[in-house]
């Protein structure tokens, strides 16, 4: 495993160096791995890394780039948009010479359309946002603060919102409300959560790992590459 950086496009024509985790030996198959977003990114981080380790062991290069505004990025999350992340994913695919894409959950929204690949348990932007607002209102209620999702929506569309610690700007808030997951196609197919044979990791009460699920997803991806 190598931890490096890649050059991501940013607003106003600028760029920023973002972290890149890679398993690369200049092999023929090279997968751009787009991680899940927001709290799901935390819950699926180890799972995603373990899938990459298994693909590496199977002779497949893998690259997981941080998006602008995420993790150790110096750019504010509040200023990010889905279109901006889509541009970043496209730039990463080009810079890294990706031959395939594996998008986790809502990251299917930004998967480069020209690449063959897979969407693991793809999620709409609206559903992602709904889950975040629900988690936020529950956390606020535990503090004795009553806040409805309706109020969050009204404010979020014009001012943005801080949801479970994530500062979502108004443009991203509106993007999420309107973003629909791409339909599966001959080039990129969906792998539903139940295909891995156990409850999804992002729905569990505490962050956890399931080696069997990582084995299954990596095997499905490997088989897909062999079949092409």
């Amino acid at each position: 495993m190598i931890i490096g950086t890649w050059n991501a496009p940013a607003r106003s024509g600028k760029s920023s160096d973002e972290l890149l985790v890679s398993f690369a030996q200049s092999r023929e198959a090279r997968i751009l791995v787009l991680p899940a977003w927001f709290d799901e990114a935390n819950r699926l981080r180890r799972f995603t890394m373990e899938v990459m380790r298994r693909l590496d062991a199977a002779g497949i290069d893998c690259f997981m780039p941080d998006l602008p505004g995420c993790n150790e990025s110096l750019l504010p999350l509040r200023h990010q948009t889905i279109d901006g992340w889509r541009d970043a994913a496209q730039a990463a695919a080009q810079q890294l010479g990706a031959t395939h894409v594996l998008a986790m959950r809502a990251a299917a929204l930004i998967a480069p359309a020209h690449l063959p690949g897979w969407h693991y348990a793809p999620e709409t932007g609206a559903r992602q946002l709904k889950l975040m607002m629900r988690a936020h209102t529950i956390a606020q209620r535990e503090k004795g603060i009553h806040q409805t999702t309706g109020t969050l929506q009204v404010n979020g569309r014009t001012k943005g919102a801080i949801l479970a610690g994530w500062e979502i700007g108004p443009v991203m808030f509106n993007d999420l409300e309107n973003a629909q997951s791409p339909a599966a196609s001959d080039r990129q197919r969906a792998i539903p959560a139940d295909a891995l044979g156990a409850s999804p990791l992002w729905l569990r009460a505490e962050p956890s790992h399931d080696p069997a699920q990582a084995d299954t997803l990596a095997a499905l991806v490997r088989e897909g590459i062999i079949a092409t």
Side-chain angles (χ1 to χ4, degrees), residues 126-142:
R127 174 68 176 167
Q128 175 96 69
L129 187 61
K130 181 179 179 180
L131 292 172
M132 294 174 69
M133 289 191 292
R134 181 175 181 274
H136 178 80
T137 56
I138 291 173
Q140 292 294 93
R141 193 178 304 127
E142 291 174 349

Side-chain angles (χ1 to χ4, degrees), residues 19 37 50 70 77 83 136 138 144 148 154 156 160 186 198 202 209-210 221:
L19 287 181
W37 296 350
E50 291 298 329
C70 297
L77 174 60
D83 279 346
H136 178 80
I138 291 173
T148 66
V154 171
D186 291 339
W202 64 88
H209 175 56
D210 186 338
V221 171

Side-chain angles (χ1 to χ4, degrees), residues 20 30-34 61-65 88-90 92-93 96 98-103 112 115:
L20 172 71
R30 298 167 65 82
I31 301 179
L32 173 68
V33 179
L34 299 174
D61 284 0
C62 300
F63 306 87
M64 183 169 65
Q90 180 69 37
L96 301 170
T99 60
H100 298 78
V101 60
L102 171 60
L115 291 176

Side-chain angles (χ1 to χ4, degrees), residues 16-221:
S16 73
D17 288 333
E18 305 292 353
L19 287 181
L20 172 71
V21 177
S22 60
F23 295 84
Q25 299 181 38
S26 299
R27 292 168 289 197
E28 184 176 353
R30 298 167 65 82
I31 301 179
L32 173 68
V33 179
L34 299 174
W37 296 350
F38 310 120
D39 187 56
E40 290 187 356
N42 296 331
R43 290 179 175 272
L44 292 176
R45 187 78 174 184
R46 182 179 175 187
F47 168 74
T48 304
M49 287 292 298
E50 291 298 329
V51 171
M52 292 173 66
R53 291 183 191 279
R54 286 156 172 76
L55 291 171
D56 174 53
I60 298 167
D61 284 0
C62 300
F63 306 87
M64 183 169 65
D66 274 358
L67 295 171
C70 297
N71 296 319
E72 302 302 318
S73 177
L74 297 179
L75 299 178
L77 174 60
R78 178 179 177 81
H79 295 161
Q80 307 311 311
T81 67
I82 288 183
D83 279 346
W85 280 356
R86 188 175 289 116
D87 290 344
Q90 180 69 37
Q94 293 176 347
Q95 288 180 34
L96 301 170
T99 60
H100 298 78
V101 60
L102 171 60
M104 316 296 279
R105 300 286 286 149
L109 296 167
I110 63 170
H114 73 284
L115 291 176
W118 306 266
H119 305 161
Y120 170 59
E123 186 63 281
T124 67
R127 174 68 176 167
Q128 175 96 69
L129 187 61
K130 181 179 179 180
L131 292 172
M132 294 174 69
M133 289 191 292
R134 181 175 181 274
H136 178 80
T137 56
I138 291 173
Q140 292 294 93
R141 193 178 304 127
E142 291 174 349
K143 298 176 182 178
I145 302 171
H146 181 69
Q147 193 172 33
T148 66
T149 55
T151 300
L152 285 173
Q153 286 175 316
V154 171
N155 291 334
R157 290 164 183 163
T158 57
K159 301 176 183 179
I162 299 177
L163 302 175
W166 302 93
E167 189 173 9
I168 310 299
V171 177
M172 176 65 86
F173 194 98
N174 284 277
D175 283 353
L176 289 168
E177 281 199 309
N178 294 294
Q180 297 297 316
S181 292
S185 66
D186 291 339
R187 294 187 66 77
Q188 295 182 6
R189 72 179 187 89
I191 298 175
D194 59 13
L196 304 195
S199 64
L201 295 173
W202 64 88
L203 294 180
R204 298 186 180 182
E206 298 292 337
S208 62
H209 175 56
D210 186 338
Q213 290 196 50
D215 289 343
T216 302
L217 182 55
L220 289 171
V221 171

